[in-house]
Amino acid sequence: MVTAAVAGYESITRIGLAASGAFHARGFHATAVCGPFAAALVAGRLTGLGADRLTAALGIAGSFASGVMEYLEDGSWVKRVHAGWAGQGGVVAAALAAGDFTGPATILEGRFGLYRTLLGLEPAREPFENLGTRWETPGIGFKPYPCCHYNHAYLDCALELRQAHRLDPANVEAVECLVPAGQVPIVCEPRAAKLRPRTAYDAQFSLPYSVACALLDGQVDLDTYAAERLDDPARLDLASRVTHTVDPDSRFPRGFPGWIRLRLKDGRTLEARTPDGRGGVERPLPPEAIVEKFRANAARALPPARVVELERLVLRLDQLSDVRAVTTLCRG
């Protein structure tokens, strides 16, 4: 199971790295596009497919690779199904391949393959050539906040300023965020929708709303984006005072930086910046933070005793003789 998972992580990251940033720029959700390939390898490995059948599974998965980002325009929920749909597509592709169904071996690099068809470009070769000598899995990050990753570094900065200066949000006159150009269309525009999110999903992709909530509450969690909070006058008022300026020198997408400057009503100016949000290689989360996030999320779906037992088993996953001990506990 661990080997299969790593195969999936290595493949999904490399398929994305071969056209870094290009899927999002084109309007495709990279998880939905790259995910079916990874899921096909995971399912194929777990069911014992050989190299030729795994290749066929990848070729089949290419026909399930899709998912557009138009949900950003109205805050609709469709992105929530993209990861699950990619998983289903990969499992179906592996099952078809196991039954000798065929798929094109050149699904990635071919004349009508993934990159030329969806992006109109030639993929970079390096991510595929260093497979087995360089590992991408340890570089996969954890998200400390339940919102768009682009917001995370700004939330780190906002929470840092709030705590370090014992900040009273009522004293905040204005908030300026320096944002990479590539992030602006996702979390800053259209500005009217970002200032007054229409749905919880809208709010998760709003930098102004998320920063305002961080300054007001001193934390950002699932309750931050609860539907009943979206019309809170205090949140909307502070969000209206959050603006952005494009950072021409940003290293994005090689990092996910954050920079915030607060102007206070008492005349002071406070500033914080970070080259990357917490959770990645540069600023890893401590193990206890990851476990605590698991506990908080699992408790929303499972009874307390089952959460404790699931945690115990997952933390010794590589020592289990049968992973069904874990999957049984995951069922509602």
Side-chain angles (χ1 to χ4, degrees), residues 61-80:
S63 287
F64 302 147
S66 185
V68 295
M69 296 170 61
E70 187 63 15
Y71 53 80
L72 291 174
E73 294 304 302
D74 61 4
S76 51
W77 292 9
V78 68
K79 180 175 179 281
R80 298 184 189 278

Side-chain angles (χ1 to χ4, degrees), residues 68-197:
V68 295
M69 296 170 61
E70 187 63 15
Y71 53 80
L72 291 174
E73 294 304 302
D74 61 4
S76 51
W77 292 9
V78 68
K79 180 175 179 281
R80 298 184 189 278
V81 304
H82 282 180
W85 199 254
Q88 174 174 292
V91 170
V92 170
L96 288 170
D100 292 331
F101 203 91
T102 61
T106 53
I107 188 61
L108 297 178
E109 75 278 18
R111 181 164 63 104
F112 297 115
L114 181 75
Y115 298 100
R116 288 190 175 88
T117 300
L118 297 191
L119 305 177
L121 54 75
E122 183 94 12
R125 292 204 163 279
E126 182 185 4
F128 302 108
E129 292 173 345
N130 62 26
L131 182 64
T133 59
R134 173 188 169 94
W135 296 93
E136 300 294 342
T137 300
I140 294 174
F142 293 87
K143 294 176 70 172
Y145 311 114
C147 61
C148 178
H149 198 177
Y150 293 168
N151 289 338
H152 284 213
Y154 301 92
L155 298 179
D156 286 343
C157 291
L159 293 171
E160 175 191 328
L161 290 175
R162 189 184 193 277
Q163 181 176 4
H165 298 276
R166 298 183 180 180
L167 191 64
D168 179 0
N171 193 32
V172 176
E173 181 72 35
V175 183
E176 180 187 0
C177 301
L178 196 64
V179 183
Q183 295 182 5
V184 169
I186 309 299
V187 296
C188 298
E189 295 177 346
R191 182 162 172 77
K194 302 306 181 183
L195 295 185
R196 298 188 66 90

Side-chain angles (χ1 to χ4, degrees), residues 19-300:
S20 184
F23 288 111
H24 282 98
R26 188 81 167 195
F28 286 104
H29 181 207
T31 300
V33 174
C34 305
F37 298 102
L41 288 178
V42 172
R45 169 75 188 193
L46 290 174
T47 52
L49 298 187
D52 60 334
R53 293 294 84 207
L54 285 173
T55 300
L58 289 174
I60 298 166
S63 287
F64 302 147
S66 185
V68 295
M69 296 170 61
E70 187 63 15
Y71 53 80
L72 291 174
E73 294 304 302
D74 61 4
S76 51
W77 292 9
V78 68
K79 180 175 179 281
R80 298 184 189 278
V81 304
H82 282 180
W85 199 254
Q88 174 174 292
V91 170
V92 170
L96 288 170
D100 292 331
F101 203 91
T102 61
T106 53
I107 188 61
L108 297 178
E109 75 278 18
R111 181 164 63 104
F112 297 115
L114 181 75
Y115 298 100
R116 288 190 175 88
T117 300
L118 297 191
L119 305 177
L121 54 75
E122 183 94 12
R125 292 204 163 279
E126 182 185 4
F128 302 108
E129 292 173 345
N130 62 26
L131 182 64
T133 59
R134 173 188 169 94
W135 296 93
E136 300 294 342
T137 300
I140 294 174
F142 293 87
K143 294 176 70 172
Y145 311 114
C147 61
C148 178
H149 198 177
Y150 293 168
N151 289 338
H152 284 213
Y154 301 92
L155 298 179
D156 286 343
C157 291
L159 293 171
E160 175 191 328
L161 290 175
R162 189 184 193 277
Q163 181 176 4
H165 298 276
R166 298 183 180 180
L167 191 64
D168 179 0
N171 193 32
V172 176
E173 181 72 35
V175 183
E176 180 187 0
C177 301
L178 196 64
V179 183
Q183 295 182 5
V184 169
I186 309 299
V187 296
C188 298
E189 295 177 346
R191 182 162 172 77
K194 302 306 181 183
L195 295 185
R196 298 188 66 90
R198 295 154 291 186
T199 66
Y201 213 75
D202 237 3
Q204 289 173 300
F205 280 82
S206 168
L207 181 61
Y209 180 86
S210 298
V211 167
C213 289
L215 292 172
L216 284 168
D217 301 332
Q219 63 182 29
V220 176
D221 56 20
L222 286 172
D223 291 330
T224 300
Y225 301 101
E228 59 270 19
R229 294 195 180 186
L230 301 183
D231 294 325
D232 177 27
R235 296 170 197 281
L236 298 180
D237 177 61
L238 186 51
S240 71
R241 286 178 266 139
V242 179
T243 61
H244 72 274
T245 304
V246 173
D247 179 5
D249 302 317
S250 173
R251 53 192 285 266
F252 174 83
R254 293 186 300 278
F256 296 82
W259 183 96
I260 281 184
R261 180 164 56 200
L262 305 182
R263 189 173 74 250
L264 306 183
K265 293 178 181 178
D266 60 16
R268 289 181 296 158
T269 298
L270 306 177
E271 182 178 320
R273 67 172 65 201
T274 178
D276 223 329
R278 292 181 304 124
V281 174
E282 299 299 324
R283 300 180 65 201
L285 289 177
E288 55 269 23
I290 298 169
V291 171
E292 183 56 39
K293 179 177 179 179
F294 161 77
R295 291 172 182 163
N297 288 339
R300 292 173 176 262

